[in-house]
Amino acid sequence: MNIKTKGYWLGALLAATYVFSGCTKNDDANDENIVSNNYLVVQSTVNMSGNSQSTKVDLEANCDWKVTYDKGSWTDLVIIPTSGTGSTTVIIESSVNNTESDRYVDLKFSTIDGDLPRVCKVTQSAGDFVAELEFENLSGERFTAPYEETSKSITIKCNTTWEADVIFETDEEERNPWCYLTDEKGSGNGHFTMVITDNQTSVKRSAGIIVATSNKAGKQEFISMIVEQNAAPLPTATVESSVGQDGVTISINGKASSGSKYSLTDYGYCISREPNPREKISMLSGGSAAENTFSTTTKQEDGYTYYICAYATTIVGTTYSEDYPITLPGATPGNDDNVSPSLARKK
């Protein structure tokens, strides 16, 4: 083969090689075009208000796709659907944001094989921070408790964190509180319980309950109620009858009652020549009692009017009856027999 002929075949071989390699490159380019022709387009951010319960993300695609996400503390988040084919609208469902801060989730879109990754950041802002108290079986913003120890659960509706506290009228009540709260902190809808101790006084008392909320900017809102507790009943005491006999002897019949769950710690009568006697002569014997009657006699001087009253004492206080006057005629004033040596006086 001469050089000219060799040159012809070499040229033909080179041309064939070029054509072959050109076809191969075109095929690869077509494959790349097939892949790049798949598209998946989604917006990068979506914002929801704190009171919104749903929103949507528009997805444009010409392929099979999926969405994955980590809801974290956003536990009530629901995404529908989480996979599909082609363009669609993805629905985001959630409850109202009952927290004092925004919450976020990254929705990660891609093809089924994980290609064409796209991220949409969803933000739900904090709620409106309007707190509302709902009183169970009550009307108005007031609860009145009996004098006995009691408790009351108060329902609270709220869309952020909240805290309840008792505000007393005096420093002494602050040091020795008669009302305290349990479950006094919470987030969202909840309740707290007021525990009210026995009122062992004859005075009605009251305090304020303050519920405070705060938003992420530090602005606080308050709502309040009044809790009252009735006074404990005082005991009762009466003189049932009082009779003068033989000129120096007075017979006294009386009755004492605690009037409450607290027992009598003392009861008896008072006697004096002046109205409104207050020197106590105890008739209580043995242990305390809830109710009792008493009958006794006492010798006094003739010719005077005596004022008699009954009294009864519990932890709440002492009650005196109205005066019961009686006049003794007949004996000689100054006679030693006019005073009973057995008269027991409370010291």
Side-chain angles (χ1 to χ4, degrees):
M1 181 180 295
N2 57 35
I3 295 175
K4 187 175 182 179
T5 303
K6 288 180 178 181
Y8 170 80
W9 286 107
L10 179 59
L13 179 61
L14 290 173
T17 302
Y18 175 78
V19 171
F20 178 78
S21 62
C23 292
T24 302
K25 287 182 180 180
N26 287 337
D27 289 343
D28 291 342
N30 289 335
D31 290 342
E32 290 177 1
N33 287 335
I34 291 173
V35 174
S36 62
N37 284 339
N38 287 339
Y39 62 87
L40 195 156
V41 180
V42 65
Q43 60 203 93
S44 60
T45 60
V46 170
N47 295 314
M48 300 174 60
S49 73
N51 293 325
S52 296
Q53 294 183 288
S54 68
T55 190
K56 63 181 181 179
V57 175
D58 292 325
L59 172 67
E60 295 183 12
N62 67 343
C63 56
D64 295 338
W65 56 268
K66 64 180 180 180
V67 58
T68 58
Y69 56 95
D70 180 7
K71 63 176 64 178
S73 61
W74 197 343
T75 55
D76 53 358
L77 180 69
V78 177
I79 307 299
I80 304 172
T82 55
S83 62
T85 301
S87 299
T88 189
T89 297
V90 175
I91 303 300
I92 302 170
E93 294 182 350
S94 173
S95 64
V96 172
N97 186 357
N98 289 326
T99 70
E100 59 185 286
S101 59
D102 297 348
R103 53 187 181 182
Y104 313 90
V105 67
D106 287 335
L107 302 184
K108 301 175 181 178
F109 292 85
S110 69
T111 66
I112 297 300
D113 296 331
D115 295 328
L116 303 178
R118 307 285 188 266
V119 176
C120 176
K121 188 180 187 70
V122 180
T123 301
Q124 186 182 35
S125 62
D128 290 339
F129 310 107
V130 177
E132 178 184 353
L133 282 178
E134 178 182 297
F135 301 102
E136 181 181 355
N137 301 325
L138 293 176
S139 60
E141 298 178 350
R142 185 181 300 268
F143 173 68
T144 301
Y147 77 91
E148 300 98 335
E149 179 176 337
T150 188
S151 64
K152 181 66 178 176
S153 178
I154 303 297
T155 301
I156 181 171
K157 289 185 177 179
C158 188
N159 61 351
T160 183
T161 56
W162 53 268
E163 183 173 357
D165 197 10
V166 185
I167 308 298
F168 292 104
E169 294 181 347
T170 67
D171 292 339
E172 176 60 27
E173 289 177 308
E174 290 283 355
R175 290 189 293 268
N176 299 287
W178 53 269
C179 176
Y180 62 92
L181 308 180
T182 62
D183 304 318
E184 67 272 22
K185 296 181 180 180
S187 179
N189 297 338
H191 73 278
F192 62 87
T193 300
M194 300 184 299
V195 180
I196 303 167
T197 62
D198 283 346
N199 187 358
Q200 298 181 352
T201 74
S202 60
V203 179
K204 187 175 184 178
R205 54 192 181 184
S206 64
I209 304 294
I210 303 294
V211 180
T213 67
S214 62
N215 62 20
K216 59 183 179 181
K219 180 181 178 182
Q220 288 191 311
E221 295 183 10
F222 301 91
I223 194 165
S224 63
M225 62 173 287
I226 299 296
V227 56
E228 297 177 324
Q229 187 177 30
N230 290 329
L234 283 164
T236 59
T238 57
V239 175
E240 302 294 311
S241 65
S242 181
V243 180
Q245 300 173 356
D246 64 29
V248 294
T249 303
I250 301 175
S251 296
I252 304 171
N253 295 305
K255 184 176 181 180
S257 176
S258 72
S260 69
K261 71 176 187 177
Y262 306 122
S263 298
L264 290 166
T265 56
D266 190 20
Y267 63 84
Y269 69 95
C270 304
I271 185 169
S272 173
R273 293 179 186 175
E274 301 295 331
N276 195 32
R278 288 296 182 265
E279 185 176 351
K280 299 175 184 177
I281 302 173
S282 178
M283 300 302 298
L284 178 65
S285 60
S288 60
E291 183 172 286
N292 215 333
T293 58
F294 60 89
S295 179
T296 188
T297 61
T298 179
K299 290 187 177 182
Q300 303 294 333
E301 292 185 73
D302 171 51
Y304 293 100
T305 296
Y306 290 89
Y307 297 90
I308 303 167
C309 73
Y311 75 90
T313 302
T314 66
I315 194 172
V316 180
T318 299
T319 297
Y320 296 88
S321 72
E322 294 182 355
D323 288 356
Y324 195 108
I326 189 169
T327 301
L328 284 178
T332 302
N335 190 325
D336 291 339
D337 292 338
N338 292 342
V339 180
S340 172
S342 63
L343 187 63
R345 294 184 180 273
K346 182 178 177 65
K347 294 181 180 180

